């Protein structure tokens, strides 16, 4: 049976809606999809020579993608979707999302891990930071005013996280593109480790 509202008509986005959502791969038949190939995000890795070498030797691999499920972009509404980060490294730095602040800086966000093993790098404009582990069944809360970046530390598994935030918050990618993060998560002796970003711009 279809979903109906008080008038007996099918639901629309303004009155509530139901969609399918696959709990294994995190996908839905109703979505807006964006993909990020290495050639488009290579500048976010601190080792530019390693990024160039990776492209030459392994081609233009898919680093991550995200799927936004429909919601009105109004004050008081919630946006949600799925972030998927693939396994891989550039030099000793793990594949990751570009990371962003929200345009409305006082916006929190929740990520729930469905599969894989990763971390969420959090950083405020003043430099306060933390790095929270993501494994299936764990949720990470990203506080307002903190940029957030998903990082896949698994050598073989895809990192899938479901996210929810206020729908009108917007995304500020420019600050991260210009300055970078103060800290990076890299592989050292086979384990994830935090280092200072040598390319961070104050």
């Amino acid at each position: 049976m279809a979903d109906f509202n008080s008038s007996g008509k099918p639901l629309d986005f303004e009155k509530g809606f139901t969609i399918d959502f696959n709990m294994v791969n995190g996908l839905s038949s109703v979505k807006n999809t964006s993909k990020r190939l290495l050639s488009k995000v290579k500048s976010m890795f601190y080792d530019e020579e390693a990024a160039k070498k990776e492209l030459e030797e392994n081609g233009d691999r898919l680093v991550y993608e995200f799927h936004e499920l429909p919601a009105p972009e109004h004050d008081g509404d919630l946006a949600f979707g799925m972030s998927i980060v693939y396994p891989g490294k550039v030099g000793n730095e793990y594949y990751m999302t570009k990371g962003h602040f929200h345009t409305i800086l006082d916006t929190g966000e929740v990520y729930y891990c469905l599969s894989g093993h990763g971390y969420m790098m959090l950083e405020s404009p003043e430099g306060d930071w933390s790095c929270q582990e993501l494994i299936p069944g764990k949720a990470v809360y990203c506080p307002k005013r903190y940029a957030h970046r998903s990082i896949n530390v698994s050598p073989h598994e895809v990192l899938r996280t479901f996210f929810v935030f206020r729908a009108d918050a917007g995304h500020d990618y420019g600050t991260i593109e210009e300055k970078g993060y103060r800290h990076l998560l890299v592989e050292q002796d086979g384990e994830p480790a935090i280092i200072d970003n040598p390319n961070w711009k104050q």
Side-chain angles (χ1 to χ4, degrees):
M1 178 180 291
D3 296 311
F4 293 94
N5 59 27
S6 57
S7 66
K9 297 178 180 179
L11 293 171
D12 60 30
F13 293 162
E14 299 296 331
K15 296 180 180 178
F17 58 92
T18 300
I19 60 171
D20 61 295
F21 181 80
N22 188 310
M23 289 297 290
V24 176
N25 61 25
L27 300 183
S28 169
S29 60
V30 184
K31 62 184 182 296
N32 296 316
T33 300
S34 296
K35 297 177 184 287
R36 297 290 184 264
L37 296 170
L38 180 57
S39 62
K40 300 299 183 184
V41 296
K42 62 181 185 297
S43 62
M44 73 183 186
F45 295 96
Y46 79 94
D47 190 338
E48 295 181 12
E49 287 302 314
K52 182 179 178 181
K53 182 179 179 182
E54 175 75 13
L55 280 168
E56 291 173 349
E57 294 183 354
N58 298 310
D60 203 4
R61 296 177 62 191
L62 184 60
V63 176
Y64 71 97
E65 59 185 290
F66 55 93
H67 306 270
E68 295 177 319
L69 306 175
E73 295 183 3
H74 302 155
D75 180 13
D77 285 319
L78 296 174
F80 57 104
M82 175 62 48
S83 173
I84 300 173
V85 186
Y86 290 92
K89 289 185 296 180
V90 171
N92 66 343
E93 192 171 13
Y94 301 103
Y95 274 13
M96 58 189 168
T97 62
K98 186 178 292 185
H100 62 271
F101 291 96
H102 286 289
T103 307
I104 300 176
L105 194 57
D106 284 344
T107 297
E109 187 164 357
V110 172
Y111 285 79
Y112 179 80
C113 184
L114 291 174
S115 68
H117 182 203
Y119 285 84
M120 184 69 68
M121 180 68 78
L122 304 170
E123 184 176 292
S124 73
E126 295 76 26
D128 187 46
W129 67 278
S130 70
C131 197
Q132 305 292 331
E133 188 175 29
L134 285 163
I135 58 174
K138 276 194 174 183
V140 169
Y141 178 68
C142 304
K144 62 185 181 180
R145 302 188 76 257
Y146 278 72
H148 32 286
R149 162 183 282 171
S150 302
I151 306 164
N152 185 355
V153 301
S154 172
H156 307 296
E157 286 188 274
V158 173
L159 176 66
R160 291 184 175 90
T161 50
F162 179 79
F163 58 81
V164 181
F165 63 96
R166 61 180 287 181
D168 64 335
H171 294 85
D172 170 14
Y173 293 102
T175 299
I176 300 302
E177 289 173 350
E178 179 183 350
K179 294 186 174 184
Y181 275 72
R182 290 172 173 84
H183 299 91
L184 303 173
L185 190 68
V186 301
E187 185 178 82
Q188 291 184 347
D189 300 322
E191 298 292 334
I194 299 289
I195 64 168
D196 292 334
N197 183 359
N199 299 332
W200 181 74
K201 299 175 183 176
Q202 190 166 1

